[in-house]
């Protein structure tokens, strides 16, 4: 995406606030040049008018450069511009004196117009200079001292320049009010910019803490499942060794018990991993809506995940997780819509948001569709959807980023053909289903049994218990006729 719109949309929210703040101070310099420099024309002679105008413009440019460097110091990208701030203070005083001298005779102004030009130069240049210098300090007390010093200095300087006593007092008050307003604006802008960056960092920290918390939960569950069982296995194995050395037949019973506990532990670990890896689509949709709403993104969900197969829900649940993460971290979205459509033979999940990532849309993925510019998030989703023969598409157009996942639905029994098979399904699919069923039955017996026949040493791999039926599922298929 090119042009000014693409340049602006490519920035993050903190970067946009920083750009807005920086150009606001640059606009203050334009205001100074226009409001103070232009009125000199027509009130003083032509030669002095151009000299005064260029003098004011030079001061405004100097203020813009100082403000930019001060903001860089606030953001920590450069050292504090002490010399620049001192030079601006000295330059402001010099512009006040030279401008008053050029506007008219110091003690006897020739006209009211020249006196107006001299007073506006003294008030405006001093106020804008003090407001810019306030960006170079974070101490409120020093800001207050700078404003009071600028007001007192302008009032004291106006007396030797020929201003009457009441006019000198009014000049000091005007500088106090104007410089105070500009200083408050500068301090508030810096505070707002820091707050936006801190909030952005807090959001990143919250995301990392959520990942760390999930890892701790998974580690805690594994510890609870495996800790006790491994301790019992170690104890019974040691006991079996001692009994075997003494020639006691009870050693076989102890090792059988060890085998049972190991198989039980394997089953429990699989349940923990299955619970960690499987994603319930309804819960993921509700969670995504809650997270996006909390982040200030208008989220709308259409469709229901009820009665979808568990495998399809798990695959689409991971799509919702990854899409929500992309919306929060890689874009600047204001609206997000999640649509779930269930057709006769497939289910489609679409996630659309108006936060196009920086640099435009994603690059084409390995399947020809649009993918991510960098990272492996969408690659991992394609792999997960590939397990269920699903397809993932991602594209960006018209300021919208669209992620669509299509997963075919399993054929229901009421659509089977006359012979009990599926109408459009080849015969080898039935053989594969049968083999998988036998594999599941063999694995279930191998995981849940205690001291059955077979074991790891022998026995029919398709009958009774035995680690062989669970560890070598291809033998189960070969055992079936």
């Amino acid at each position: 995406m090119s042009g000014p719109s693409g340049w602006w949309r490519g920035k993050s929210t903190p970067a946009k606030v920083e750009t807005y703040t920086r150009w606001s101070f640059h606009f203050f310099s334009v205001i100074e040049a226009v409001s103070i420099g232009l009125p000199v024309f027509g009130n003083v002679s032509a030669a002095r008018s151009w000299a005064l105008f260029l003098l004011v413009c030079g001061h405004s440019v100097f203020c813009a450069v100082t403000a930019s460097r001060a903001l860089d110091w606030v953001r920590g990208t450069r050292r504090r511009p002490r010399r620049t701030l001192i030079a601006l203070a000295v330059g402001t005083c010099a512009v006040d004196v030279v401008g008053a001298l050029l506007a008219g005779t110091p003690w006897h102004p020739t006209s009211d117009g020249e006196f107006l030009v001299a007073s506006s130069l003294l008030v405006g240049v001093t106020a804008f200079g003090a407001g810019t210098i306030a960006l170079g300090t974070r101490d409120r007390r020093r800001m207050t001292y700078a404003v009071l010093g600028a007001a007192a200095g302008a009032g004291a300087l106006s007396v030797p320049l020929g201003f009457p006593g009441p006019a000198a007092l009014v000049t000091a008050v005007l500088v106090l009010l104007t410089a105070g307003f500009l200083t408050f604006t500068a301090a508030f802008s810096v505070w707002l910019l820091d707050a936006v960056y801190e909030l952005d960092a807090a959001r990143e920290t919250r995301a990392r803490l959520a990942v760390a918390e999930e890892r701790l939960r998974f580690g805690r569950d594994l510890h609870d499942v495996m800790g006790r069982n491994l301790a019992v296995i170690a104890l019974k194995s040691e006991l079996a060794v001692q009994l075997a050395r003494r020639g006691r037949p009870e050693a076989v019973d102890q090792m059988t018990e060890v085998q049972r506990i190991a198989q039980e532990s394997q089953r429990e670990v699989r349940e923990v991993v299955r619970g960690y890896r499987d994603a319930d689509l309804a819960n993921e949709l509700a969670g995504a809506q809650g997270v996006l709403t909390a982040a200030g993104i208008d989220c709308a969900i259409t469709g229901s995940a009820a009665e979808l197969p568990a495998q399809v829900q798990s695959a689409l649940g991971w799509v919702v997780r990854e899409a929500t993460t992309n919306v929060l971290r890689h874009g600047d979205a204001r609206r997000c819509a999640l649509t779930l459509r269930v057709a006769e033979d497939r289910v489609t999940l679409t996630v659309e948001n108006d936060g196009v990532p920086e640099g435009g849309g994603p690059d084409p993925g390995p399947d020809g569709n649009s993918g991510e510019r960098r990272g492996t998030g969408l690659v991992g989703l394609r792999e997960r959807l590939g397990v269920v023969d699903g397809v993932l598409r991602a594209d960006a157009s018209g300021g919208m980023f669209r992620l669509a996942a299509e997963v075919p639905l399993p054929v229901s029994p009421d659509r089977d053909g006359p012979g009990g098979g599926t109408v459009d399904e080849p015969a080898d699919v039935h053989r594969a289903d049968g083999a998988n069923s036998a594999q599941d039955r063999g694995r279930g017996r191998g995981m849940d049994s205690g001291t059955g026949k077979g074991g790891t040493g022998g026995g029919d791999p398709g009958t009774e218990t035995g680690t062989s039926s669970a560890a070598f599922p291809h033998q189960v298929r070969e055992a079936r006729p």
Side-chain angles (χ1 to χ4, degrees), residues 303-376:
S304 174
E307 300 181 358
L308 288 178
Q311 193 175 16
V312 174
Q313 290 201 33
S314 178
L316 295 180
W318 279 102
V319 175
V320 175
R321 287 185 186 180
E322 180 65 23
T324 304
T325 302
N326 289 340
V327 172
L328 290 175
R329 300 189 61 183
H330 303 308
D332 188 18
R334 294 180 179 87
R335 296 180 304 275
C336 182
L338 293 90
T339 305
L340 187 67
R341 296 186 179 91
V342 181
E344 184 177 357
D345 58 347
R346 66 180 52 246
V347 57
T348 304
L349 174 67
T350 305
V351 183
E352 291 182 327
N353 69 88
D354 58 354
V356 178
E358 181 179 356
D363 294 335
D367 57 355
N369 300 322
S370 296
E372 66 283 356
R373 290 184 300 107
R374 54 182 179 271
T376 58

Side-chain angles (χ1 to χ4, degrees), residues 37-327:
L38 292 181
V40 301
F41 295 99
N43 291 317
V44 295
S45 62
R48 288 184 296 165
S49 296
W50 281 105
L52 287 172
F53 179 73
L54 294 177
L55 192 65
V56 173
C57 289
H59 183 266
S60 64
V61 172
F62 198 3
C63 287
V65 174
T66 305
S68 180
R69 293 188 177 185
L71 283 177
D72 291 340
W73 169 68
V74 170
R75 293 305 318 140
T77 58
R78 70 162 63 229
R79 294 182 179 180
R80 185 178 181 182
R82 297 179 182 272
R83 296 181 179 179
T84 306
L85 294 173
I86 295 174
L88 178 61
V90 175
T92 299
C93 295
V95 171
D96 288 338
V97 175
V98 175
L101 293 175
L102 290 176
T105 305
W107 294 277
H108 300 285
T110 58
S111 65
D112 292 339
E114 291 179 345
F115 179 79
L116 180 62
V117 169
S119 59
S120 63
L121 278 171
L122 187 59
V123 173
V125 170
T126 304
F128 279 103
T132 305
I133 293 174
L135 283 173
T137 177
R138 297 180 181 177
D139 191 352
R140 297 179 181 177
R141 184 176 58 182
R142 292 182 179 179
M143 292 182 181
T144 304
Y145 290 162
V147 173
L148 294 177
L157 184 62
S158 62
V159 174
L161 291 176
F163 285 67
L169 181 60
V170 172
T171 300
V173 173
L174 290 177
V175 170
L176 178 65
L177 296 177
T178 309
F181 172 76
L182 293 176
T183 300
F184 172 79
T185 302
F188 180 77
S189 300
V190 170
W191 173 82
L192 180 63
L193 182 61
D194 289 338
V196 171
Y197 271 103
E198 289 177 2
L199 288 176
D200 185 70
R203 186 176 66 176
E204 294 293 332
T205 302
R206 182 178 61 181
R208 289 194 297 268
L209 288 177
V211 174
E213 183 179 358
E214 182 64 18
R215 290 175 178 174
L216 289 175
R217 184 197 68 80
F218 184 65
R220 184 170 55 250
D221 291 346
L222 283 181
H223 178 270
D224 294 340
V225 169
M226 297 297 297
R228 179 184 60 84
N229 292 347
L230 289 177
V232 174
I233 289 174
L235 181 62
K236 287 186 172 294
S237 299
E238 183 179 358
L239 179 59
V241 169
Q242 297 295 333
L243 293 175
R245 288 177 178 175
R246 299 176 184 177
R248 302 285 295 274
E250 291 85 350
V252 177
D253 297 333
Q254 294 297 328
M255 290 307 299
T256 302
E257 185 66 14
V258 168
Q259 182 187 23
R260 185 193 67 79
I261 297 175
Q263 292 173 347
E264 181 68 17
S265 300
Q266 189 179 16
R267 182 184 62 82
E268 292 178 351
V269 168
R270 286 179 177 174
E271 290 180 355
V272 171
V273 174
R274 186 181 301 113
Y276 177 74
R277 298 186 63 182
D278 289 348
D280 182 74
L281 183 55
N283 293 337
E284 293 298 332
L285 290 173
Q289 187 176 31
V291 171
L292 294 176
T293 303
I297 301 174
D298 184 16
C299 180
I301 296 179
T302 306
S304 174
E307 300 181 358
L308 288 178
Q311 193 175 16
V312 174
Q313 290 201 33
S314 178
L316 295 180
W318 279 102
V319 175
V320 175
R321 287 185 186 180
E322 180 65 23
T324 304
T325 302
N326 289 340
V327 172

Side-chain angles (χ1 to χ4, degrees), residues 311-312 315-316 383-391 406-409:
Q311 193 175 16
V312 174
L316 295 180
E383 294 175 354
R384 291 181 182 275
L385 291 175
V387 176
V388 292
D389 297 330
V391 178
E406 293 185 0
V407 178
L409 291 174

